[in-house]
Amino acid sequence: MRDMRGRDVLSILDFGREDLEGLFEYADIIRKRGVSGRPLQGKVMALAFFEPSTRTRLSFETAMKRLGGDAIGFTSEEGTSIEKGESYVDTIRMLDAYSDVIVVRHKYDGAAKLAAEVAENPVINGGDGKQHHPTQAMIDLYTLKTLFGTVDGLTIGVLGDLKYGRAASSFILGLTHFRPKKVCLISPPQLAARREVLDQARERGLPYEEVVSLDEVIGDLDALYVTRIQKERFPDVEEYEKVKGAYVVTLELLQKKAKRDLKILHPLPKVEEIDPRVDQTHYASYYEQARLGVPLRQALLLKLLE
Amino acid sequence: MRDMRGRDVLSILDFGREDLEGLFEYADIIRKRGVSGRPLQGKVMALAFFEPSTRTRLSFETAMKRLGGDAIGFTSEEGTSIEKGESYVDTIRMLDAYSDVIVVRHKYDGAAKLAAEVAENPVINGGDGKQHHPTQAMIDLYTLKTLFGTVDGLTIGVLGDLKYGRAASSFILGLTHFRPKKVCLISPPQLAARREVLDQARERGLPYEEVVSLDEVIGDLDALYVTRIQKERFPDVEEYEKVKGAYVVTLELLQKKAKRDLKILHPLPKVEEIDPRVDQTHYASYYEQARLGVPLRQALLLKLLE
Amino acid sequence: MRDMRGRDVLSILDFGREDLEGLFEYADIIRKRGVSGRPLQGKVMALAFFEPSTRTRLSFETAMKRLGGDAIGFTSEEGTSIEKGESYVDTIRMLDAYSDVIVVRHKYDGAAKLAAEVAENPVINGGDGKQHHPTQAMIDLYTLKTLFGTVDGLTIGVLGDLKYGRAASSFILGLTHFRPKKVCLISPPQLAARREVLDQARERGLPYEEVVSLDEVIGDLDALYVTRIQKERFPDVEEYEKVKGAYVVTLELLQKKAKRDLKILHPLPKVEEIDPRVDQTHYASYYEQARLGVPLRQALLLKLLE
């Protein structure tokens, strides 16, 4: 495994399979044995969250604080110098002057990359634009690894908004590091995965197929990765109303058609795309997935900063 | 004293007199000798503040940080996943996955209890609905203990909005653990204590009486617990204007009618219900009361988490 | 150097040259050798930011956290007890009860002084009103010291809004502790330095002159301290449009007229007053200046709290 010290984490494709597996092993050790001492004592992580987030922010903070480090930053543009007209680049330079690592969350594609060009310290993409959320993809892959022992050989569904959802895109790209048996990309045609994501998946040999109907493929799946379909993505409400029901994972559907051992993942937060009665069943792996976010991010921070 | 490790703190009635006295002794030790080392190092407290609060939040944070622990969380719904439509229960599950203890503040009765049903880690009610704010009641009782040596035998007034004010209700319930000589519940009839609070007070043998006039009883009191009367609680402004003056604690009133050693408590923040000239007198015990919040909450966190 | 333990930091004039030089030496040591151990472990700093700020807040937090301490507080009035009508003085008393030092940021002159009268623990003015921002002035002077070895003998320009800008006023007052050769106060007449600042500068023997044109004096300067001119300071927009161009530091101007070694400082954030092409040149010292904020504030916190 390559040395990750000081590296930026911009896209899940910046890493190799070996890097990821090294990270997963490290996270396993942290989970099982804990962390001894305060390895990141005196280190400061800057959170540059230009877009709101609860989960990514709080799990990064938790990871850092459990390692003895600390966090500073902001969680929206409100009340920051950005409002006074400071440039994005100057804001990043300031955070770089104060901290040892910056986590950027931004609505525009490329924001984390730009930050990395300006900052001397490592930059972690905490989700930018429509495509990249590499630490979420790491957690998703780590969850599959934890649930199934391996990602190779699995039949995996990715459901929902594959066009605008950065978690789904990053997950698809992340799967290209492994050898799943098949990946079913399940979405209404309006929200199919973007060409640049599919091109990379194809080039990197991912055996995927695009389907519109969850019903037809659910019986084949070992794991189903669910994401939210947002009403506002549709040009008109009628179209949305027409499709939305077909992408809700109900308990009936699971009991009737799914493999008994199907595991459901979700980057969370979820709204209505999963029937709440599923939450308490053995299918629901999303709370476990959220829980794995902390040791995974601890492992990553240790590898970057230690 | 019973072991408090891992327990939820939902209502002041969840605890016995012995629990509270054990807690007060522990807080005394912390106050006098300090805390040695960093007993909660690596522990993380989640603040789930769905309703704003400065005092409760900052004193919990201070308590945790002085013990070597740390805090994460949010201080309003704004910018959290709640705004994206995530369920309350899922939000609590997330915080439970990241932290070792959750402090909940919420406008609805029962919110902390629901959180405790979902979370594996202890949940502390940082104030929910109209009735429960158990750590505030602990601080109030601890303040009486510190000022008078005991709560037993005291004549205590509780003034203001006894209907909607959760601090006042919790304090009244908290007093039922002890043997005060008499408790005068002083409020305009519109804001008298709720039936369920009075029923419990009666059942638990609290010698209380309900009065409308502060003037008539102030001379009997050893301690007066003041809370704010909010204009918006009154159906019409005129009614409010009529009563408000009668519930303002002025320096003249104190000098003319109160016992020389009367101690005034207030959960704070205060607005106009206490004449600012009282702040610098020996009657004012509310700043001391605020100060005692930190060691009391330190003692509680240690008992729950150590 | 006098003992600074427990002192308030309200104005740059509260300190003597010796105090400042002691502070700069201490900051140098921190920068070169780091800090050993966790000297402020268990200490809590309260941030009372009634007005937004990113830089001051984050660099204070970073300084505190790198020393092993921690921070609590609020970053705007929103969601605090101030909104419920609590008095400023009661809010400060609360923070004083919880923390070991308070940093105040407020739009009104004298707010930090009032806090210091109420609080038992030291109060640091993190910028209040139009005149005082003492820790910014310390950083500015420390930057000159770092860049030039000394402040004495330098020719220094102070450009921009000298009337309402608290950083510029504090810097001018701070310069009176030293013996610069000349200080050029460069501003449109509407934004000239206030009488009370000029009076003190004169009394304390600062050799200053007021000029309107940057062009005429830039060739003499060793250092140029730039601040922003805000549109809203002008009674009418036309007047603003007329002057604004004359106070923008362009690369052409620097290359044509400035000394080759001119150093440009800026308290940041900057908007349009410095040509972005200057950022990457040897003139630009403002990022270095921002960077020096952390060790300087670490030195200050150590002197106050250790």
Side-chain angles (χ1 to χ4, degrees), chain B residues 38 52-55 57-59 61-62 65-66 70 78 105 228 268-271 279-280 287 290-291 294, chain C residues 41-44 70-74 78-81 84-86 90 93-100 120:
Chain B
R38 310 275 285 160
S53 152
T54 320
R55 216 160 301 265
R57 172 170 72 85
L58 294 182
S59 72
E61 276 193 59
T62 301
K65 291 173 175 182
R66 286 206 195 276
D70 218 319
E78 214 180 302
R105 172 83 156 219
R228 185 153 50 113
L268 302 181
K270 60 184 172 63
V271 182
D279 293 356
Q280 305 306 331
Y287 299 125
R291 209 170 281 272
V294 176
Chain C
Q41 188 167 294
K43 300 276 186 196
V44 173
D70 218 318
I72 60 163
F74 49 84
E78 216 180 302
T80 70
S81 303
K84 299 184 192 167
E86 184 176 49
D90 266 11
R93 278 193 188 111
M94 165 188 67
L95 294 173
D96 191 42
Y98 297 163
S99 67
D100 303 290
E120 287 175 24

Side-chain angles (χ1 to χ4, degrees), chain C residues 104-233:
Chain C
V104 173
R105 172 83 154 219
H106 204 287
K107 71 176 162 189
Y108 292 133
D109 289 293
K113 191 156 181 290
L114 178 54
E117 283 165 18
V118 172
E120 287 175 24
N121 291 311
V123 168
I124 299 174
N125 187 349
D128 71 350
K130 299 171 297 294
Q131 211 174 114
H132 294 299
H133 195 349
T135 62
Q136 181 65 50
M138 288 171 181
I139 292 164
D140 302 338
L141 296 166
Y142 180 45
T143 305
L144 290 178
K145 180 83 184 346
T146 303
L147 293 170
F148 296 98
T150 175
V151 178
D152 298 338
L154 297 177
T155 298
I156 300 166
V158 188
L159 176 75
D161 179 354
L162 310 185
K163 185 168 184 184
Y164 300 103
R166 61 172 80 113
S169 289
S170 292
F171 178 61
I172 296 167
L173 295 175
L175 286 171
T176 67
H177 289 300
F178 298 88
R179 294 273 154 250
K181 188 175 163 197
K182 195 167 72 180
V183 176
C184 302
L185 306 179
I186 312 156
S187 75
Q190 302 94 326
L191 298 178
R194 313 175 85 79
R195 172 153 309 278
E196 63 263 37
V197 173
L198 294 178
D199 284 352
Q200 289 180 87
R202 195 177 316 110
E203 276 164 35
R204 298 173 57 91
L206 190 75
Y208 72 85
E209 61 175 27
E210 298 188 79
V211 300
V212 167
S213 163
L214 171 60
D215 254 57
E216 282 172 29
V217 295
I218 192 165
D220 299 332
L221 305 177
D222 299 303
L224 173 60
Y225 188 92
V226 182
T227 66
R228 186 153 52 111
I229 291 183
Q230 289 175 275
K231 206 187 202 156
E232 53 274 31
R233 296 304 187 194

